[in-house]
Amino acid sequence: KESSLTLLGVSDRVNARQLGEVMEEKKCLVVDVRTEPEVEMCGLEGCLNIPLGDLQYEGKREEIMEKLEKTLGEEKEVYVMCRRGNDSQVGVEILRKMLPGVSVRDVVGGLHAWARDVDTNFPAY
């Protein structure tokens, strides 16, 4: 079993059910920080894939900002997810610096929590 990391406070994180409710109620942007091959295996519909490695690389920041600006639109809420909710916390910290004034929150437990709590047919790996 993989251990869980806690970098962010409780108010900086939502659970999978809360994300599901937000996705139903209003528009938001969900950023998946897994690698492209992982996203090809499974992912939530409508997510923007920005691998954590790209976020961490300063040389990609301008390209990422352009992608975010096109996708974010009027939305002021971003939710970051990954497989288990560890890498997404690092992604939150980076995206907050890139997107001042935008609420950026982590999804606790990532896609594993989504498969367990929201969509039991979701193909978690």
Side-chain angles (χ1 to χ4, degrees):
K1 183 175 178 169
E2 295 178 32
S3 63
S4 125
L5 181 69
T6 304
L7 297 174
L8 302 171
V10 174
S11 65
D12 298 320
R13 306 180 83 193
V14 298
N15 64 45
R17 284 190 191 104
Q18 289 169 313
L19 176 64
E21 290 168 10
V22 170
M23 290 173 76
E24 282 181 20
E25 290 173 12
K26 59 183 173 180
K27 288 188 163 196
C28 63
L29 175 61
V30 179
V31 175
D32 188 331
V33 296
R34 295 175 302 142
T35 64
E36 202 170 305
E38 288 176 295
V39 171
E40 287 173 4
M41 282 193 282
C42 64
L44 297 183
E45 190 175 324
C47 284
L48 176 63
N49 178 226
I50 304 175
L52 182 60
D54 289 356
L55 276 174
Q56 292 172 315
Y57 178 54
E58 293 284 336
K60 291 255 185 184
R61 294 278 168 91
E62 190 173 322
E63 177 186 329
I64 290 169
M65 277 305 295
E66 287 176 17
K67 191 186 281 192
L68 285 167
E69 287 170 359
K70 283 181 191 171
T71 311
L72 193 57
E74 298 296 316
E75 309 316 322
K76 294 294 181 196
E77 288 189 34
V78 175
Y79 295 88
V80 185
M81 83 176 340
C82 62
R83 184 171 168 238
R84 290 192 174 271
N86 292 332
D87 288 349
S88 55
Q89 292 180 76
V90 177
V92 165
E93 292 178 332
I94 295 167
L95 285 168
R96 282 184 172 166
K97 291 174 187 166
M98 293 175 71
L99 299 168
V102 174
S103 170
V104 182
R105 298 171 80 191
D106 174 56
V107 180
V108 178
L111 292 171
H112 274 251
W114 184 270
R116 181 188 67 230
D117 301 335
V118 178
D119 181 359
T120 55
N121 294 317
F122 187 82
Y125 61 97

